[in-house]
Amino acid sequence: MIRIEGLAARRGTFALRDVSLEVPAGAHLALVGPSGAGKTTLLDAIAGLLPAEGRIVVDGREVTCEPPERRRLGLVTQDALLFPHLTVGGNIGFALPRAGRGAAVEEAARLAGCAHLLARRPDGLSGGERQRVALARAVARRPAALLLDEPFGALDAPVRRELRAALAALARAGGTSVLHVTHDLEEALALADQLGVLEGGRLAQLGRPADIVRRPASPVVAALVGTENLLAGEITAEGATAPVPFPARLRTAGVELRGLATRQGPGYAALRATDVTLSREPLRSSALNRLPGTVRALAPEGPLVRVTIDAGVPLVALVTRESADTLGLVPGTSVYAHFKASAVHLL
Amino acid sequence: MARSPSPAGPAAVAGALVVLFLAAPVVALLAEAAGWRGLGAALADPAVRGAFFLTFLCATAATAVGALAGVPLGYLLARRDFHGKRWVEGLLELPVVIPHPVAGIAILLAFGRAAPLGRLLGGGVVGAPLGIVACMLFVSLPFLVSGAREGFALVDPRLEAIARTLGAGPAGAAFGVALPLAARPILSGAVLMWARAVSEFGSIAIVTYHPKVASILVYDRFTTSGLPGAVPPAALLVAVALAAFVALRGLARPVATRS
């Protein structure tokens, strides 16, 4: 278990402020955020590589003032950082107590899928092999938590998928908490029980991945979790403003959208492209939002087609290829975009 | 088709001139030594043997002391910013730029019999092997510190950070990761320091003329016996220096210092 309370740290002119989160034993928290949001600074502060204020508790023991070697945390970075003068076995066994070192190295290497590499030197390994070794090295000491700093960011998609499975197995085997910085939302959603979004050195949102994706707390969070439609405008309540969220409208460029808001005033409407339905004629449905528009562009994305529509405001819809064919969508086609008020988050 | 002028031709000519300029005195000295009594004859002279033994012993002691103090200093200079760092760096370059008799006078004033530091060392460094070691250390330490600093600067500091998260303390990370990865530049610096110490003359002539080291012996033989007396030990010194620098080339091969 790892618990962070009111963590603050500085790196140059950048400041990380008031970050609080908890990763229970065996749980996986993924952190996403734009470049420069403080993701690596946060991991370094937790690992003890940067001075920090606040509280860091690992398995019930406060380690805020402890040096890195006494924190029982394993760190894996994007470039693996293997020791080039040691073999793979030497890397995994680095600083392990002599007694039981061999067995610990073999066990960690087996779990990470690199047992066949023990005698090799790092400079001859592929990117995926290096990350397996880095993972094995980090778990060989049986840390209370793993801190992962975009560990799979530089790898090909198939290797990434393999390593995700290896990571899940390693964490499961040791009951290890994982705090995982990634820019890959798909990876975060595949692995994490909790998702955190860092923005400008602060934790902008923390919660279940599905909740954050459905209800992003800010335009930056919305953009990070893949909310394709983000429209700026004025938010006005349709009635009472309690309890929150309350029904409201957002007016923008002569278009009015109905959705759920937590406040009034200038703001944004966030709408996922998958929540937009298209038709050639106005439909009778429960969707409160219906905007006529014209298809401007179509872009195939695997089994789906990304449709860009000019509806007075730019809108993006994701529909299946079959739907696109049935509707006969081509640039210039007149369509209606429908979406429920519950899918429109007024931020 | 017209060929663009290649810089290789003029560079080769310039290089050949430099090589000729450096090689001519060395070849002349070695040829002269073979013409007189040869290097073997020089080695048969007990005074020469004694001076060379003293030189190598003092140079090795100076290099050992230099390694103990200079490698940690090189690490600090490569890894940390601290108040007065520029002054320390400037001080380290000073022995390279000041005339070595001046260095000898400064050592005499700091570590002589009358100086507090000299009394602390048990009667000063004048006329004692300790004085030779002090002179050698003063003039040659910058080579080792510089080698260590450059070696450590080539090692990715994040490797040490990872070592710390794996349970190694600051010393464990430095000895287990940084030092092995910086070993070659440090060894190069040590060989350079040792060779520079062996060749030191100016400061030793001021501080400890007796007992004689090799460079003092060569000078002494030249002033008392002329070239016939000076050439054999001089050629032997050149042969030692050549061997040291051939070894240095071997150590200077590139090595991966980053993951």
Side-chain angles (χ1 to χ4, degrees):
Chain A
M1 183 278 286
I2 181 164
R3 192 171 72 243
I4 314 297
E5 295 170 8
L7 193 80
R10 294 193 75 87
R11 175 171 271 155
T13 55
F14 176 80
L16 190 74
R17 286 162 296 174
D18 196 26
V19 175
S20 297
L21 54 85
E22 182 172 340
V23 192
H28 191 127
L29 191 157
L31 273 175
V32 295
S35 291
K39 304 185 294 291
T40 298
T41 303
L42 175 61
L43 290 195
D44 284 353
I46 295 171
L49 304 175
L50 267 185
E53 292 169 18
R55 286 188 84 214
I56 302 165
V57 179
V58 176
D59 273 358
R61 186 173 66 94
E62 181 167 0
V63 298
T64 319
C65 298
E66 297 276 356
E69 60 270 23
R70 294 208 198 120
R71 296 195 176 201
R72 292 195 59 230
L73 298 169
L75 178 64
V76 180
T77 61
Q78 184 172 1
D79 44 4
L81 290 175
L82 301 183
F83 305 131
H85 60 301
L86 299 178
T87 60
V88 166
N91 266 276
I92 299 173
F94 184 84
L96 283 178
R98 201 174 292 273
R101 182 188 295 169
V105 168
E106 281 175 21
E107 172 70 0
R110 186 183 61 76
L111 283 169
C114 60
H116 59 295
L117 304 171
L118 286 176
R120 297 264 299 274
R121 291 263 174 191
D123 56 5
L125 303 180
S126 68
E129 288 171 335
R130 293 167 72 82
Q131 287 300 13
R132 283 182 190 278
V133 177
L135 274 173
R137 183 176 64 176
V139 299
R141 299 181 72 238
R142 298 189 176 280
L146 271 179
L147 307 176
L148 308 178
D149 191 359
E150 305 215 21
F152 314 137
L155 304 175
D156 298 336
V159 182
R160 226 165 32 223
R161 277 193 291 274
E162 278 178 30
L163 279 168
R164 276 184 210 159
L167 168 64
L170 279 166
R172 219 176 17 249
T176 314
S177 311
V178 179
L179 184 54
H180 179 178
V181 162
T182 178
H183 66 270
D184 183 344
L185 187 67
E186 185 199 336
E187 185 171 285
L189 296 177
L191 289 168
D193 315 301
Q194 284 190 88
L195 185 66
V197 183
L198 267 178
E199 184 189 335
R202 287 181 183 278
L203 196 57
Q205 197 169 2
L206 180 67
R208 288 174 53 231
D211 292 342
I212 292 181
V213 168
R214 263 201 304 271
R215 286 189 290 277
S218 73
V220 172
V221 176
L224 279 167
V225 298
T227 302
E228 295 85 348
N229 297 299
L230 211 55
L231 305 169
E234 186 73 20
I235 301 168
T236 318
E238 289 191 317
T241 56
V244 288
F246 52 84
R249 295 166 191 263
L250 178 131
R251 285 191 184 81
T252 175
V255 174
E256 194 171 85
L257 302 179
R258 297 173 75 178
L260 297 173
T262 53
R263 62 180 184 82
Q264 299 192 81
Y268 292 85
L271 171 67
R272 296 184 68 76
T274 46
D275 289 331
V276 180
T277 308
L278 298 181
S279 66
R280 296 293 294 269
E281 303 294 335
L283 293 177
R284 294 175 69 86
S285 79
S286 60
L288 288 178
N289 294 291
R290 187 179 70 198
L291 297 178
T294 307
V295 173
R296 289 292 177 221
L298 295 113
E301 282 187 8
L304 302 174
V305 178
R306 176 180 294 271
V307 186
T308 306
I309 304 147
D310 179 358
V313 290
L315 266 187
V316 175
L318 267 177
V319 299
T320 61
R321 281 173 184 262
E322 193 182 348
S323 296
D325 290 343
T326 306
L327 291 169
L329 298 182
V330 292
T333 308
S334 294
V335 291
Y336 287 87
H338 308 263
F339 41 94
K340 293 183 173 181
S342 59
V344 178
H345 303 287
L346 303 175
L347 312 171
Chain B
M1 193 172 75
R3 293 173 63 183
S4 60
S6 161
V13 172
L17 284 172
V18 169
V19 170
L20 186 68
F21 178 75
L22 292 175
V26 174
V27 171
L29 185 63
L30 291 173
E32 189 70 10
W36 292 96
R37 293 188 315 189
L39 300 180
L43 274 172
D45 182 343
V48 171
R49 278 210 310 272
F52 272 71
F53 177 73
L54 182 66
T55 306
F56 295 155
L57 188 70
C58 290
T60 306
T63 307
V65 173
L68 282 176
V71 172
L73 178 58
Y75 181 84
L76 271 183
L77 291 172
R79 285 280 188 269
R80 302 267 188 272
D81 281 319
F82 52 85
H83 289 299
K85 182 176 176 179
R86 284 185 181 181
W87 282 96
V88 174
E89 287 174 330
L91 197 63
L92 280 166
E93 283 161 11
L94 201 61
V96 181
V97 295
I98 60 171
H100 287 185
V102 175
I105 291 167
I107 289 168
L108 208 58
L109 289 172
F111 300 105
R113 287 190 187 93
L117 283 173
R119 285 200 295 275
L120 207 68
L121 289 170
V125 296
V126 180
L130 193 59
I132 301 170
V133 173
C135 290
M136 289 176 165
L137 194 59
F138 187 85
V139 299
S140 61
L141 185 62
F143 294 100
L144 179 53
V145 176
S146 173
R149 180 178 55 194
E150 285 166 23
F152 287 123
L154 287 172
V155 179
D156 189 340
R158 293 178 307 156
L159 289 172
E160 282 173 85
I162 287 288
R164 299 286 304 276
T165 67
L166 292 170
F175 280 101
V177 177
L179 192 62
L181 290 173
R184 271 181 197 278
I186 292 171
L187 276 175
S188 293
V191 172
L192 211 54
M193 179 181 175
W194 186 86
R196 180 65 195 82
V198 164
S199 70
E200 176 53 13
F201 171 77
S203 60
I204 298 175
I206 300 281
V207 175
T208 305
Y209 199 87
H210 294 282
K212 291 191 186 77
V213 291
S215 58
I216 300 284
L217 180 87
V218 170
Y219 176 73
D220 195 61
R221 290 281 172 92
F222 181 70
T223 53
T224 54
S225 315
L227 279 178
V231 165
L236 198 59
L237 257 183
V238 168
V240 169
L242 258 181
F245 281 98
V246 169
L248 180 69
R249 290 293 105 197
L251 290 173
R253 279 175 301 167
V255 61
T257 50
R258 289 179 183 249
S259 175

